Amino acid sequence: MRVIGTRALGLRTPIIRESDDLVAVICQSVKDAIKYENIQINDGDIIGVTEAVVARSQGNYANMDQIAADVKAHFNGGHIGVVFPILSRNRFAMLLKGISLGAEKVTVLLSYPADEVGNQLISWDDIDDKKLNPYSDCLSEAEYREFFGETKHRFTGVDYVAYYKSLGNNIDIVLCADPKRILDYTDQIIAADIHTRTRTKRALYAAGAKKVIGLDDLLTKPVNGSGYNERYGLLGSNKATENRIKLFPRACDVFVQKMQQALRELSGKTVEVLVYGDGGFKDPVGGIWELADPVVAPAFTSGLSGTPNELKLKFLADNNYADLSKDEARKAIEKAIQAKAGIDQMGKMESEGTTPRQLTDLLGSLCDLVSGSGDKGTPFVLVQGYFDNYAS
């Protein structure tokens, strides 16, 4: 009898550098896991590869001057508005620095009390106390300070209003939850939000904006020798140095296919592969949604398409088979699981409370939690038994 279901194992690797053969590095890590940890590779296993090492091995980088050049190509300098950036030294600060180099003046419209992924400038309690409406009350930096004084993020200790202002001598900060208020300052705008960018662009054009682009429209092709991402542009980028960012990786579909073939040659098994970035989960203390990448998984092999099609074991145990003995209930539940094959469980009471999210969002979140974002040194994750169930 099997007593272990799903398990996720972080695989240690050397430091990945530009031009490294990432497929070969991962295969060696799998070989080491087989040799030293007695790991057995099976059909249906999954290898998750963090987007960071894919982009690093591709050399997919850009510097501030290259960002500035692309901003100038879109707007010819002038006064640019930047709407709804997230609050992040790692994710947005360097982009703002590059944008400011490509403009005569930049007005940044910060959403308050929080950005789109939940990073709080201030709390809703503070908003209520001051009797403000973020959707109608647009605050200058001076008015913001008058209401709230110096405000620091509870996790990072950073005053983001002051920090973003310091990134260029041509940057002003205003605060409002209505993106259209940027039109009080300029009609040339960069929509810097991630998941709500399409709606923001649409609202700004409808309100009379002259030109609106998103971060996904910048560096979609090489600029003066830069890296690029044809689909996401600057979205998903991270700070590399004080003058350089790492972009979201490109050509990931090609990579996952090559990786799957190499693992098949290594193990004789069909292993699914995905490239993952930020997980899609929410921190219950800070309220941060975490997902600063445009997607959880930019690429994956075909076996990871779709959503789970599961039954709720506790529902079956408490309802359908509550009067059976433990052994009889186990057999009945196993039979019900086996019978569900090919039958969509959506809307059925037996599946109530399961999570019909995309498999790649669930797996990418799992991998992100296992690999972490710090010093664990495990940028690859081996997931085993994910497609098993109680009847396996």
Side-chain angles (χ1 to χ4, degrees):
M1 179 179 177
R2 293 181 57 181
V3 295
I4 295 177
T6 301
R7 63 176 180 172
L9 308 170
L11 300 185
R12 289 248 166 88
T13 68
I15 299 298
I16 307 300
R17 302 191 183 278
E18 293 183 42
S19 302
D20 280 353
D21 184 341
L22 192 59
V23 170
V25 172
I26 295 173
C27 284
Q28 185 59 54
S29 293
V30 173
K31 288 179 183 177
D32 290 344
I34 293 171
K35 179 178 180 180
Y36 297 111
E37 304 291 347
N38 199 30
I39 299 297
Q40 181 178 341
I41 303 300
N42 309 296
D43 287 324
D45 285 355
I46 301 160
I47 287 284
V49 184
T50 181
E51 58 82 20
V53 295
V54 180
R56 188 178 299 129
S57 68
Q58 293 173 341
N60 204 22
Y61 292 88
N63 62 41
M64 299 304 98
D65 290 335
Q66 291 162 337
I67 294 173
D70 206 15
V71 170
K72 289 179 181 178
H74 279 85
F75 293 105
N76 296 316
H79 186 178
I80 297 173
V82 177
V83 175
F84 291 171
I86 64 172
L87 306 175
S88 174
R89 294 167 296 174
N90 179 42
R91 291 288 192 167
F92 184 71
M94 302 301 291
L95 306 188
L96 180 56
K97 186 184 293 187
I99 291 168
S100 72
L101 292 173
E104 293 176 14
K105 184 175 182 180
V106 178
T107 298
V108 179
L109 180 65
L110 295 179
S111 175
Y112 80 97
D115 66 16
E116 67 169 308
V117 295
N119 281 298
Q120 286 191 345
L121 281 169
I122 45 183
S123 70
W124 275 106
D125 290 337
D126 292 329
I127 295 293
D128 294 340
D129 181 60
K130 301 299 183 182
K131 296 179 173 57
L132 290 171
N133 180 350
Y135 298 96
S136 60
D137 297 326
C138 190
L139 306 178
S140 67
E141 183 182 356
E143 290 169 329
Y144 174 77
R145 294 302 185 192
E146 184 179 345
F147 278 113
F148 303 110
E150 182 183 19
T151 55
K152 294 185 178 181
H153 191 280
R154 65 181 302 171
F155 290 157
T156 66
V158 173
D159 182 326
Y160 281 98
V161 173
Y163 177 55
Y164 280 3
K165 178 77 178 271
S166 74
L167 295 173
N169 57 16
N170 58 347
I171 297 173
D172 288 333
I173 307 290
V174 293
L175 301 99
C176 192
D178 181 358
K180 298 186 292 295
R181 294 299 294 272
I182 194 66
L183 295 171
D184 296 340
Y185 304 89
T186 179
D187 58 5
Q188 298 191 108
I189 303 156
I190 297 174
D193 42 350
I194 304 165
H195 308 290
T196 55
R197 63 188 184 275
T198 300
R199 182 171 183 264
T200 299
K201 293 177 187 179
R202 185 172 65 244
L204 289 168
Y205 271 127
K210 180 180 178 181
K211 183 169 186 179
V212 184
I213 66 171
L215 294 178
D216 55 332
D217 297 309
L218 292 167
L219 264 62
T220 57
K221 57 185 178 181
V223 175
N224 300 333
S226 73
Y228 65 98
N229 189 296
E230 58 281 305
R231 183 173 182 184
Y232 297 116
L234 289 177
L235 290 179
S237 59
N238 292 81
K239 179 179 179 180
T241 69
E242 291 301 325
N243 190 50
R244 201 178 187 216
I245 60 167
K246 177 196 63 61
L247 296 164
F248 215 45
R250 59 182 186 268
C252 292
D253 290 331
V254 175
F255 169 76
V256 296
Q257 296 301 325
K258 288 178 63 177
M259 190 71 253
Q260 185 177 57
Q261 180 59 33
L263 291 169
R264 185 178 290 115
E265 293 171 1
L266 168 66
S267 66
K269 307 295 183 180
T270 298
V271 177
E272 304 297 339
V273 181
L274 81 158
V275 176
Y276 66 92
D278 275 347
F281 43 81
K282 186 173 182 177
D283 177 78
V285 176
I288 302 170
W289 184 33
E290 179 70 22
L291 184 55
D293 286 324
V295 290
V296 173
F300 47 89
T301 49
S302 60
L304 300 180
S305 297
T307 60
N309 188 44
E310 300 178 337
L311 301 177
K312 194 74 169 180
L313 287 189
K314 65 181 181 181
F315 179 90
L316 296 177
D318 290 342
N319 292 271
N320 300 37
Y321 311 120
D323 296 331
L324 300 181
S325 67
K326 286 186 178 181
D327 189 53
E328 290 172 332
R330 177 182 60 79
K331 291 177 180 178
I333 289 172
E334 288 177 353
K335 185 176 180 180
I337 292 173
Q338 292 163 351
K340 75 171 184 178
I343 301 174
D344 189 354
Q345 301 300 317
M346 182 181 292
K348 296 184 178 182
M349 291 300 295
E350 287 82 359
S351 67
E352 185 179 34
T354 58
T355 308
R357 292 167 57 190
Q358 294 294 320
L359 287 167
T360 50
D361 291 340
L362 293 165
L363 284 162
S365 299
L366 170 63
C367 290
D368 188 30
L369 287 167
V370 171
S371 62
S373 58
D375 57 8
K376 288 183 170 59
T378 55
F380 316 138
V381 177
L382 173 64
V383 182
Q384 298 188 302
Y386 189 79
F387 296 108
D388 289 357
N389 54 47
Y390 189 66
S392 297

